[in-house]
Amino acid sequence: MFNKRTGEVLTQQLINWGVDHIYGMPGDSINELIEDLRKRKEEIEFIQVRHEETGALSAAAYAKLTGKIGVTAAIAGPGAVHLLNGLYDAKADSAPVLAIVGQVHSEEVGTGAFQEINLERMFDDVAVFNRRAETEAQLPDLLNQAIKEAYTYKGVAVLIVPDDLFAAKQKEEVRLTSGKYYKAEVSPSQTQLNEARQLIENAEKPIILAGQGTRQAKNELIDFAETIKAPVILSLLAKGVIPDNHPYCLGQLGQIGTKPAYHAMKETDLLILVGTQFPYRDFLPEDVSAIQIDNKSAHLGKYYPIEVGLPGDSKETLSALTKLVQSVEKRAYLEHYQEKMNEWRIAIQEEKRSTEDPLHAPQVMYELEKHVEPGAIISGDVGNVTVWLTRFLHLVNQKFILSGWLATMGSGLPGAIAAKKAHPEKQVIGVAGDGGFSMVMHDFVTAVKYNLPIKMIVLNNSKIGMIKYEQEQMGHLNYVTNLGEVDFAKFAEACGGEGIRIESYEELESKMKQAFISDQPVLVDVVIEDQAPLPGKIEYQSAVNFSKYIIKEFFESGNLDLPDMVKALKRLR
């Protein structure tokens, strides 16, 4: 007779699937599984976070970085509820994540027992796989299927388990399913490639918009762009795919983007979408021909009307197209925007190299660049900090992760924790605003506890800066955007890590250097002046609304709160 605990069997399955760590919190409805994990802790580590949201966000970040399944675990009721934000982040950014969620004992399900909620209903929208086991015999097969579906659909699989089932004995070793995932290979037909070739060769002003689907196709993307002489715009999630200073790169598009990218996109006569589901239609051109490459056929033409869809892997499809199309020697459209981009980079450098006090975020990004190593991983948070990172922190051969589609504040620290677990040999830097960091700051203790020597930079202006600017851009007065002052460096020290506070330009260089010499988890609390994250291109209506805010503020308080007008005027049409 087989006679093994179900938790023991599931633990071995996870190890067989290549899972070497789980993020979560122990508790009464998963403690039976925790006991089996304890016995195999040398092979599969349980990372005890201080809040389940951090666990789910970390699992999502791990999956984004590695392509391997991220795993998180929580108890029934409140623990399960806390997972949701991180799981929705995984869903939105197509990251394979498994959530193992406890439930009350089998005989109590449906009775309104302590901490019982309808978990199946709660997880229904976020999950590609969402099942509750009713017997221990089901569990090994359910776990295999959960992981397969998470990989297949690049989403969240939720396995709900009454805690008593983990302790129940398995009577049979024979399983209905196999513990292996087989990835489907999809590629465009020759007819589709020829149709794309014809559009490319007939275009005078082609432009490439590349997304996170090109992360494994860096060289192919560059070869393709150089062959057809087309500028490349990167989505936010694709930052770092090619160097920010590459001569074909025009930076990002949209509110966080560059002025050359905005105008080049408006002028193009052929849009080539590669591995992206760029959602901001207002920043895309009107009525131009479009080609799209995506490994999910359902994504082709989903957000923009296309003439040719190429279902397939970006790496292989770009390579095939490059071999097929006729090489272009010179293109005036590309050269024009290369010149405009050089002007933009000079202006950005001037802003970054300012030596004035009080400190501004671009100055911090310039100093940070001096310490970022080749191959480093940058975990960004959401808010104004996203603008400062994408526009002012130039990456050459580093990886960049953040919460993209969901754009949840608080993703920076969990992303840094996951990055260090995924790549302990690499330098890992988290960058957050004080608003985002304070949502998850309790888990800086986790970095300390597990000796994860991350460098966490907090841009501290005591405000929810992005929301403040959005209110102003709408013409409204600011309301409930001030956070109050916190000394995060002292907090880091209280956690057992190293805390460094920077309050002036004079301190910036020496204290940043001190942070990067340390082999401990370090939190660098940089006090910055509030600064409007001006878009790369300012539309007329936004300027009108901002002027309404200025007038209202002046009449109500007598203060004239002006942004940098020289920069603002340069970014108007």
Side-chain angles (χ1 to χ4, degrees):
M1 186 174 287
F2 189 55
N3 205 35
K4 285 188 177 180
R5 282 170 53 96
T6 298
E8 182 183 356
V9 173
L10 299 185
T11 298
Q12 183 62 56
Q13 281 182 277
L14 290 169
I15 293 169
N16 292 345
W17 275 103
V19 176
D20 60 13
H21 69 289
I22 298 172
Y23 302 96
M25 279 280 285
D28 57 357
S29 56
I30 60 168
N31 272 338
E32 292 289 359
L33 176 62
I34 294 297
E35 171 62 11
D36 290 302
L37 290 169
R38 180 191 66 80
K39 295 173 183 177
R40 304 293 295 275
K41 61 185 177 181
E42 300 303 321
E43 298 158 275
I44 182 167
E45 186 179 16
F46 194 90
I47 306 296
Q48 177 213 56
V49 294
R50 299 304 173 102
H51 194 291
E52 291 89 351
E53 179 184 8
T54 303
L57 284 168
S58 295
Y62 177 83
K64 292 176 196 179
L65 273 171
T66 65
K68 297 193 289 188
I69 196 159
V71 184
T72 187
I75 65 166
V81 173
H82 286 166
L83 291 175
L84 277 174
N85 193 47
L87 296 185
Y88 269 104
D89 175 63
K91 174 186 177 177
D93 286 349
S94 300
V97 166
L98 171 67
I100 300 173
V101 184
Q103 181 56 291
V104 299
H105 276 224
S106 301
E107 66 271 17
E108 295 178 329
V109 172
T111 67
F114 175 69
Q115 290 194 328
E116 183 192 7
I117 61 175
N118 190 330
L119 294 176
E120 297 97 303
R121 180 179 296 175
M122 185 180 78
F123 288 118
D124 185 60
D125 181 61
V126 75
V128 297
F129 177 96
N130 178 24
R131 296 285 187 274
R132 172 170 61 86
E134 297 191 11
T135 70
E136 69 276 9
Q138 297 172 295
L139 266 167
D141 289 330
L142 285 177
L143 178 61
N144 279 339
Q145 195 60 26
I147 294 173
K148 288 178 185 179
E149 295 200 22
Y151 274 129
T152 299
Y153 300 109
K154 293 187 177 179
V156 176
V158 178
L159 184 57
I160 302 164
V161 187
D163 192 36
D164 55 296
L165 298 188
F166 290 123
K169 297 293 181 70
Q170 289 284 308
K171 297 180 177 61
E172 300 290 341
E173 191 170 9
V174 178
R175 301 267 61 88
L176 298 175
T177 62
S178 62
K180 191 171 182 180
Y181 168 64
Y182 297 91
K183 183 180 178 181
E185 298 294 336
V186 181
S187 59
S189 68
Q190 193 60 45
T191 299
Q192 292 166 327
L193 288 169
N194 286 332
E195 289 173 352
R197 171 190 178 180
Q198 188 173 2
L199 285 177
I200 292 167
E201 292 181 351
N202 289 340
E204 294 182 3
K205 299 176 180 180
I207 196 165
I208 301 165
L209 178 55
Q212 65 172 332
T214 62
R215 283 192 176 275
Q216 305 303 319
K218 172 182 176 178
N219 294 333
E220 289 76 13
L221 177 62
I222 292 173
D223 288 346
F224 178 62
E226 291 177 343
T227 298
I228 68 170
K229 296 295 184 290
V232 178
I233 295 173
L234 299 172
S235 74
L236 175 58
L237 291 175
K239 182 177 172 68
V241 168
I242 65 174
D244 284 320
N245 59 1
H246 190 279
Y248 281 63
C249 182
L250 299 186
Q252 277 69 45
L253 188 65
Q255 193 78 358
I256 60 165
T258 70
K259 189 173 178 180
Y262 176 92
H263 284 295
M265 185 60 78
K266 291 298 182 183
E267 193 181 332
T268 186
D269 60 2
L270 177 64
L271 174 59
I272 305 171
L273 298 152
V274 188
T276 182
Q277 292 292 295
F278 189 82
Y280 304 110
R281 189 66 169 78
D282 290 347
F283 289 97
L284 297 178
E286 297 291 336
D287 301 322
V288 303
S289 297
I291 298 167
Q292 186 175 2
I293 300 170
D294 202 288
N295 62 3
K296 290 186 179 179
S297 296
H299 286 174
L300 297 173
K302 184 177 180 180
Y303 290 102
Y304 193 86
I306 60 175
E307 285 193 37
V308 178
L310 300 176
D313 174 75
S314 294
K315 186 182 183 74
E316 294 178 4
T317 307
L318 284 173
S319 179
L321 268 181
T322 303
K323 293 173 184 174
L324 194 63
V325 298
Q326 186 174 349
S327 179
V328 176
E329 290 297 320
K330 190 175 183 180
R331 199 182 294 276
Y333 169 70
L334 169 67
E335 292 174 358
H336 172 73
Y337 282 104
Q338 285 177 323
E339 184 178 331
K340 292 294 182 185
M341 195 61 193
N342 286 336
E343 293 172 2
W344 173 269
R345 290 186 178 113
I346 290 169
I348 290 293
Q349 283 296 318
E350 289 174 354
E351 193 170 348
K352 288 163 65 171
R353 296 187 184 198
S354 167
T355 60
E356 297 175 355
D357 274 319
L359 278 171
H360 288 90
Q363 296 167 288
V364 183
M365 295 300 104
Y366 181 62
E367 187 60 38
L368 184 58
E369 276 180 356
K370 300 175 185 178
H371 301 279
V372 177
E373 298 174 356
I377 301 170
I378 315 298
S379 175
D381 215 304
V382 171
N384 278 358
V385 66
T386 312
V387 179
W388 308 135
L389 281 167
T390 53
R391 190 174 291 157
F392 292 97
L393 186 67
H394 284 181
L395 304 183
V396 179
N397 58 355
Q398 294 85 15
K399 283 187 176 181
F400 178 68
I401 59 166
L402 83 166
S403 174
W405 273 71
L406 189 63
T408 179
M409 293 172 66
S411 60
L413 175 61
I417 289 171
K420 202 63 183 175
K421 285 301 299 178
H423 298 288
E425 77 287 358
K426 292 184 182 293
Q427 182 191 59
V428 174
I429 302 167
V431 186
D434 53 324
F437 181 72
S438 60
M439 290 184 173
V440 294
M441 59 192 287
H442 39 72
D443 270 293
F444 187 75
V445 179
T446 302
V448 173
K449 177 179 178 179
Y450 291 97
N451 193 28
L452 303 174
I454 61 173
K455 305 294 182 280
M456 194 72 213
I457 315 298
V458 178
L459 303 178
N460 187 354
N461 61 4
S462 302
K463 293 178 178 65
I464 314 174
M466 178 65 79
I467 308 306
K468 175 181 181 291
Y469 175 67
E470 286 175 350
Q471 289 178 354
E472 294 167 1
Q473 195 178 33
M474 295 169 72
H476 303 328
L477 292 176
N478 296 138
Y479 184 58
V480 292
T481 56
N482 289 337
L483 292 174
E485 296 183 6
V486 177
D487 189 327
F488 292 105
K490 289 181 179 177
F491 165 77
E493 291 173 359
C495 292
E498 187 170 343
I500 297 172
R501 188 170 171 91
I502 300 173
E503 297 179 322
S504 68
Y505 180 80
E506 184 181 8
E507 298 176 319
L508 183 60
E509 182 178 5
S510 60
K511 288 193 173 182
M512 193 70 81
K513 186 180 294 184
Q514 177 187 342
F516 281 88
I517 290 172
S518 174
D519 59 359
Q520 297 182 60
V522 181
L523 193 158
V524 184
D525 181 13
V526 190
V527 180
I528 61 168
E529 182 75 359
D530 182 42
Q531 181 182 13
L534 297 176
K537 174 70 179 64
I538 299 177
E539 292 288 359
Y540 175 76
Q541 191 57 48
S542 295
V544 169
N545 289 340
F546 199 90
S547 69
K548 288 179 184 177
Y549 155 76
I550 293 171
I551 292 167
K552 288 179 184 178
E553 175 68 15
F554 180 70
F555 282 139
E556 292 221 5
S557 68
N559 295 326
L560 195 60
D561 184 13
L562 293 173
D564 188 323
M565 296 310 293
V566 174
K567 282 184 289 186
L569 288 170
K570 283 181 179 178
R571 296 183 191 176
L572 277 167
R573 187 179 298 277

